[in-house]
Amino acid sequence: MSNTEQLKARRNDAVANGVATRGIYAARAENAELWDVDGKRFIDFAVGIAVNNTGHRHPKVMAAVAQQAEAFTHTCFHVAPYEGYVKLAERLNAVTPGDFAKKTMLVTTGAEAVENAVKMARAHTGRSGVIAFTGAFHGRTLMGMALCGKVTPYKKAFGAMPPEVVHVPFPNAFHGTSVEVSLSVLDNMFKSSIDPERVAAMIIEPVQGEGGFNIAPPEFLRALRKICDEHGIVLIADEVQAGMARTGKMFGFEHSGVAADLVTMAKGLAGGFPLSAVTGRKEIVDAAPVGGVGGTYAGNPLAVAAAHAVLDVIEEEQLCDRAVEIGDKIQARLTDIASRQGMEAIGDVRGLGAMVAFELVTDRETNAPDVALTQAIVAEAEARGLIILPCGTRGNAVRLLPPLTVPMGQLDEALDILEASIEAAMTAKGA
């Protein structure tokens, strides 16, 4: 029995069944490469689900954490605050979109950031309603679940959700939902379902993550900004997956030319260490009463040190530009594959920067989802040494999230593996 097989058996006996896992058990990783417990090498196009934008174990991140560990690892910011937290808040206030006074709070996970952003919006407005979008993913906590626009597996079997959370269709041209349709539904909702004067916040991902890498059209985000201004609604940008240079800009919302009131971030913020943040308008962030936000591990010193290094690396290595270069290369290769005879199952190729996906369909007339083919491609890629992930509300999209530091030779190698995996899965399907 291999080391992997032994760990699978131990995992099945010891770990909660609801914690979904893949079949790769990691032993070590470096930049874009990962080796499993049996010594097999993989090129990692998942990077912990968009966490290691700066690659596994970036030297500057590791050095910063090691230096902080020599000083202290935890005091709890509520008990004995430290300069690293304050300085990171200053840097995030400066780098997030919006020409207005800002403040920041640090927590640990993306879900915590979302929960606290909603709390701030409610405290600021005195309202309780929240508008989210179909296909959204905002975490697995109670409010996070309610905001998610996908039932299985995030809401299934977990009972009643918090009230006054409503969902508007996210624009998706591939599936026939235009910006005009989405805005019309929102307008009708204000007339029939929820009074806009009861709405505290509207939360949206500029590029949906779990939802399928669907890109919010810039004109849609600009329209939402106008609507929120008209009704006194706090606009929250969930940048947990799209942020930190992933889309070719520091934050995905920047492609729209407008700024949200609050920004939630996590994942790529600290290069593999658990850290998240809410940054936004000073008067909104400050609306929560003293002691009303925070947490024991919020803004952990090691993760804060890592985040400082990540911000330095993004600037020094020009990772926003690198994301565009990587994404253009991936999209060109996928578009070429999709254009070939016999590749009609690739219904759509889409992306923003190095946040790219392709959607698998049974035919291009109906765009019906081909979940089996999606799973087969992911499995083929894993067998050939490439880690990729499925996504989408219908489970029929494949997302590609290479580190922004991936060597171009390894990017080419990964795309060769991906192409071979698509061809093999398509051949097996037709057999």
Side-chain angles (χ1 to χ4, degrees), residues 41-62:
R41 168 187 176 265
F42 296 86
I43 298 177
D44 189 356
F45 269 31
V47 291
I49 314 183
V51 167
N52 296 311
N53 288 358
T54 51
H56 291 282
R57 301 181 69 252
H58 192 287
K60 291 195 172 182
V61 172
M62 300 308 294

Side-chain angles (χ1 to χ4, degrees), residues 165-203:
V165 175
V166 295
H167 289 82
V168 173
F170 190 93
N172 189 326
F174 183 63
H175 294 293
T177 303
S178 66
V179 168
E180 291 74 22
V181 166
S182 294
L183 293 175
S184 176
V185 171
L186 177 58
D187 183 60
N188 287 333
M189 189 175 290
F190 281 154
K191 296 173 181 174
S192 63
S193 301
I194 187 167
D195 181 354
E197 293 184 2
R198 290 290 307 157
V199 178
M202 184 183 296
I203 184 167

Side-chain angles (χ1 to χ4, degrees), residues 214-358:
N214 306 308
I215 302 165
E219 64 271 23
F220 185 63
L221 296 181
R222 290 193 289 267
L224 296 185
R225 175 71 277 173
K226 183 179 179 182
I227 290 167
C228 287
D229 288 341
E230 289 175 353
H231 296 290
I233 297 169
V234 175
L235 181 58
I236 304 171
D238 184 334
E239 297 272 6
V240 169
Q241 192 161 164
M244 312 316 294
R246 173 56 59 180
T247 68
K249 293 186 181 293
M250 195 65 174
F251 297 98
F253 232 81
E254 292 182 71
H255 294 276
S256 70
V258 295
D261 299 304
L262 298 176
V263 177
T264 63
M265 61 198 96
K267 291 190 181 288
L269 176 60
F273 291 83
L275 185 70
S276 61
V278 183
T279 298
R281 292 183 183 274
K282 177 180 178 180
E283 63 272 22
I284 301 175
V285 175
D286 275 349
V290 174
V293 295
T296 302
Y297 292 103
N300 171 266
L302 300 179
V304 167
H308 281 293
V310 165
L311 292 177
D312 291 341
V313 170
I314 288 173
E315 181 178 0
E316 293 166 4
E317 300 186 19
Q318 300 180 323
L319 294 190
C320 288
D321 292 341
R322 195 94 198 294
V324 174
E325 180 184 6
I326 291 168
D328 286 349
K329 191 162 193 173
I330 295 173
Q331 288 209 57
R333 185 72 166 269
L334 287 171
T335 300
D336 176 65
I337 296 169
S339 68
R340 296 177 197 167
Q341 184 70 28
M343 291 294 180
E344 292 81 7
I346 300 178
D348 191 36
V349 175
R350 54 183 177 265
L352 199 59
M355 195 172 181
V356 182
F358 59 101

Side-chain angles (χ1 to χ4, degrees), residues 76-78 81-93 96 103-114 116-117 120 244 263-266 269-270 274-280 285 292-308 311:
C76 183
F77 191 75
H78 301 297
Y82 33 92
E83 184 184 6
Y85 185 121
V86 176
K87 183 179 177 181
L88 184 57
E90 291 169 341
R91 295 182 75 176
L92 294 178
N93 293 342
T96 47
K103 281 194 173 183
T104 289
M105 71 161 294
L106 303 178
V107 270
T108 309
T109 67
E112 280 183 278
V114 167
N116 281 285
M120 291 171 184
M244 312 316 294
V263 177
T264 63
M265 61 198 96
L269 176 60
L275 185 70
S276 61
V278 183
T279 298
V285 175
V293 295
T296 302
Y297 292 103
N300 171 266
L302 300 179
V304 167
H308 281 293
L311 292 177

Side-chain angles (χ1 to χ4, degrees), residues 10-173:
R10 289 170 58 190
R11 178 254 181 270
N12 289 338
D13 287 342
V15 179
N17 187 60
V19 180
T21 54
R22 299 281 295 278
I24 302 168
Y25 286 79
R28 63 187 178 94
E30 196 77 27
N31 199 3
E33 297 174 288
L34 182 148
W35 289 265
D36 74 3
V37 290
D38 291 306
K40 182 175 179 178
R41 168 187 176 265
F42 296 86
I43 298 177
D44 189 356
F45 269 31
V47 291
I49 314 183
V51 167
N52 296 311
N53 288 358
T54 51
H56 291 282
R57 301 181 69 252
H58 192 287
K60 291 195 172 182
V61 172
M62 300 308 294
V65 172
Q67 182 178 3
Q68 176 60 48
E70 290 295 320
F72 58 91
T73 61
H74 176 75
T75 64
C76 183
F77 191 75
H78 301 297
V79 176
Y82 33 92
E83 184 184 6
Y85 185 121
V86 176
K87 183 179 177 181
L88 184 57
E90 291 169 341
R91 295 182 75 176
L92 294 178
N93 293 342
V95 77
T96 47
D99 185 19
F100 42 79
K102 300 177 195 145
K103 281 194 173 183
T104 289
M105 71 161 294
L106 303 178
V107 270
T108 309
T109 67
E112 280 183 278
V114 167
E115 293 269 349
N116 281 285
V118 171
K119 286 162 64 175
M120 291 171 184
R122 285 178 162 177
H124 174 70
T125 61
R127 308 171 182 179
S128 53
V130 186
I131 294 172
F133 292 84
T134 57
F137 180 81
H138 298 293
R140 293 179 173 87
T141 51
L142 191 60
M143 177 55 73
M145 280 194 301
L147 296 172
C148 284
K150 182 179 179 180
V151 172
T152 304
Y154 305 120
K155 299 183 181 183
K156 190 175 179 64
F158 296 132
M161 297 292 113
E164 290 195 281
V165 175
V166 295
H167 289 82
V168 173
F170 190 93
N172 189 326

